[in-house]
Amino acid sequence: MPTKSPNVIFIMCDQLRHDCLGYAGHPLVKTPHLDRLAKQGVVFDTAYCPSPVCSPTRASWLTGTYPHAHGQLGNYGPTRLDPKKMAVMRPDAVTLGDVYKANGYRCGIAGPWHLGHDHVPQHGFEEFWRVYRYQGEGRPDILFNYFDRVGVPNVYQNEGNHPSIKRCGLQYRLIEDPRQQRTTWTIEQGLEFLDTKDDRPFFLFLSVKDPHPLVAVMQEWVDEYPIDKIELPTTFKDDLRGRPAWLKSESGRLPDDVDENLFREMVAHYYALVTHIDREVGRLVDRLQSLDLADDTILAFISDHGEMLGDHQTTTKRNFFEASSRVPCLLTWPNGLPAGHRVTAPFGGVDLPPTLLELCGLSFENPIDGRSVASALAKSEQPDPMPVFSEVATSDGINDRSTAPEDLAARVMVREGAWKFNWNRTDIDELYNLDAD
């Protein structure tokens, strides 16, 4: 498609709701920089993650294949290397980094990898590997070393020892210095990557761990969201009657006596962190413009999965409710994509990698599950409608408590038009019409 190879920046947030953005219509959350990008590019209004859990979906967003194909059905941790655990992406999986590197791109990553052997530079990113977390016992962590070097407290060292709503899992706390914030650090690495650009086109993967807990923010950011302005979801009290029984036993299930004001306080911290992410994206875009790179750079902004944030009396993810499985997704490229185009049909996460590659005149040579919609986007058209899938293991399978097939391959969602069908291996199935239900 292009006569000149464009640069690509792929920003993947973690646990960002599809509707917690100004351009998505949220009445409170301030995201002016992302709103501007949305006006300048293409917005996928109903994009879905390939899996509503971290490692499996991240591998899918990078390979264009579903978890059952790339082999990572559980969350990665340095002690989960046994192939039976299915917590490591297949070593022969082909990622965007592999394809871009093979075609002469300079590739870099900053932030968590979370796909296996995270201390080892791999999959095309060997030249610029700024990966923190999941390093393994005794190995240095580049982010933690940074905190030590600049002399600020490391609030991420023991993330579980912070205030949280009873059993909801969304830990949060205040910080006193913006250098304590991991998204700030990740964007700083991205700015360094841009400042050291050479004559090659580049692919920069910015893995933003936020707003996944620990939600660490400055007080002045939280002050932008008074709790008396925060409304609880209409389904905040939901006994889940008539729904699969497993939903009631998930770790993110809120107790009936949850303190509603405390919950609003947690939500204010979450909103504040989304606004901080927006400001950091703005810093990155400003640097692209100052380096005269903006017009020739494709910028993709997504989240790996969503966040329930109180919907159906639940927090976190791991289910197929819209808040968990539906995600923000936008693309901008001033020299190659129309401004203000909205894709209204359901869009699958496995479709983004081949779309990015085709925009650059490239493709995967191996079989994948996704399909490119680049041609339709370039002409401001709607892609042909296709079913969209998502799959997820049980919590036992995700968290290394079981390697049983029924736990690793437990649930599948399909969205086609207005219909959503959820297949549950050991529970009742669900069928919804999202226009009516």
Side-chain angles (χ1 to χ4, degrees):
M1 289 179 70
T3 56
K4 175 184 176 183
S5 297
N7 308 306
V8 182
I9 297 179
F10 187 20
I11 304 174
M12 181 190 293
C13 294
D14 192 333
Q15 212 155 311
L16 174 58
R17 282 179 66 107
H18 70 93
D19 57 358
C20 274
L21 300 151
Y23 74 80
H26 199 282
L28 289 182
V29 180
K30 303 168 187 173
T31 55
H33 301 286
L34 290 167
D35 297 349
R36 185 160 49 251
L37 291 175
K39 290 179 181 178
Q40 295 170 351
V42 177
V43 172
F44 297 87
D45 285 327
T46 50
Y48 287 88
C49 64
S51 179
V53 70
C54 297
S55 292
T57 196
R58 296 168 71 83
S60 292
W61 284 108
L62 287 172
T63 65
T65 61
Y66 287 109
H68 69 267
H70 60 61
Q72 190 160 19
L73 297 172
N75 263 343
Y76 172 71
T79 62
R80 302 177 184 177
L81 298 175
D82 184 341
K84 290 186 299 184
K85 300 179 185 296
M86 301 195 77
V88 176
M89 185 173 66
R90 284 174 44 182
D92 61 346
V94 179
T95 71
L96 286 172
D98 293 314
V99 178
Y100 280 117
K101 178 69 172 179
N103 285 276
Y105 275 66
R106 178 190 181 217
C107 299
I109 176 177
W113 177 242
H114 208 188
L115 302 179
H117 307 282
D118 290 27
H119 61 290
V120 180
Q122 56 188 283
H123 283 286
F125 297 105
E126 292 82 358
E127 187 175 340
F128 192 95
W129 183 263
R130 302 290 174 85
V131 168
Y132 70 84
R133 197 163 169 145
Y134 314 111
Q135 298 299 297
E137 179 136 11
R139 297 191 181 104
D141 185 293
I142 187 172
L143 177 62
F144 289 7
N145 289 347
Y146 164 79
F147 293 143
D148 290 340
R149 189 170 66 254
V150 300
V152 296
N154 178 1
V155 299
Y156 303 104
Q157 186 95 45
N158 298 297
E159 294 185 17
N161 297 331
H162 300 298
S164 65
I165 312 304
K166 284 189 278 182
R167 302 192 302 277
C168 84
L170 289 193
Q171 297 90 2
Y172 62 95
R173 66 158 295 160
L174 295 175
I175 55 176
E176 297 181 355
D177 188 318
R179 293 176 298 174
Q180 294 175 267
Q181 222 295 317
R182 58 191 173 191
T183 293
T184 306
W185 179 89
T186 299
I187 297 301
E188 284 290 343
Q189 308 312 300
L191 298 181
E192 180 183 332
F193 181 88
L194 295 179
D195 289 342
T196 55
K197 182 189 181 309
D198 55 27
D199 292 335
R200 294 171 291 173
F202 62 78
F203 172 59
L204 174 60
F205 176 30
L206 293 175
S207 176
V208 173
K209 185 62 181 172
D210 292 321
H212 185 290
L214 176 71
V215 177
V217 289
M218 303 280 286
Q219 180 65 60
E220 55 261 41
W221 307 345
V222 181
D223 290 342
E224 297 183 52
Y225 297 101
I227 64 171
D228 61 351
K229 302 294 185 184
I230 294 174
E231 295 186 3
L232 298 176
T234 57
T235 59
F236 187 68
K237 292 299 178 75
D238 184 355
D239 62 10
L240 298 175
R241 185 175 305 163
R243 301 185 190 271
W246 66 267
L247 288 168
K248 301 176 185 178
S249 60
E250 282 291 283
S251 60
R253 180 72 177 161
L254 294 169
D256 292 335
D257 61 349
V258 62
D259 184 319
E260 294 186 0
N261 280 333
L262 189 58
F263 188 86
R264 289 185 175 91
E265 180 181 309
M266 183 272 290
V267 172
H269 284 69
Y270 182 91
Y271 289 173
L273 188 47
V274 174
T275 296
H276 176 62
I277 293 169
D278 177 79
R279 291 180 183 130
E280 291 300 299
V281 171
R283 276 210 304 149
L284 182 76
V285 172
D286 287 346
R287 186 64 58 88
L288 281 174
Q289 292 171 340
S290 69
L291 295 172
D292 199 26
L293 295 172
D295 288 348
D296 293 321
T297 299
I298 300 168
L299 191 150
F301 179 88
I302 67 162
S303 180
D304 59 353
H305 53 70
E307 159 58 48
M308 293 298 290
L309 210 65
D311 285 9
H312 300 284
Q313 206 169 323
T314 303
T315 60
T316 70
K317 61 273 185 180
R318 300 182 182 180
N319 60 60
F320 297 131
F321 285 120
E322 291 287 276
S324 169
S325 60
R326 189 171 158 190
V327 294
C329 182
L330 68 85
L331 294 176
T332 64
W333 180 21
N335 281 351
L337 287 173
H341 183 44
R342 309 285 292 224
V343 176
T344 56
F347 178 73
V350 294
D351 296 336
L352 184 61
T355 298
L356 289 175
L357 288 177
E358 187 179 356
L359 290 172
C360 300
L362 305 172
S363 64
F364 286 102
E365 295 183 1
N366 56 294
I368 63 170
D369 297 314
R371 50 129 187 195
S372 173
V373 298
S375 296
L377 300 184
K379 294 181 286 188
S380 297
E381 295 176 354
Q382 295 293 321
D384 292 335
M386 291 282 288
V388 170
F389 297 88
S390 188
E391 60 181 300
V392 70
T394 66
S395 289
D396 285 345
I398 292 166
N399 291 327
D400 195 25
R401 294 189 294 264
S402 172
T403 58
E406 58 267 26
D407 283 318
L408 290 169
R411 299 158 191 144
V412 176
M413 179 207 85
V414 58
R415 167 81 194 269
E416 185 169 13
W419 293 98
K420 178 191 278 192
F421 177 71
N422 299 336
W423 174 80
N424 297 295
R425 181 189 289 271
T426 60
D427 213 319
I428 62 171
D429 299 329
E430 305 160 86
L431 178 64
Y432 302 101
N433 185 302
L434 297 183
D435 289 342
D437 296 338

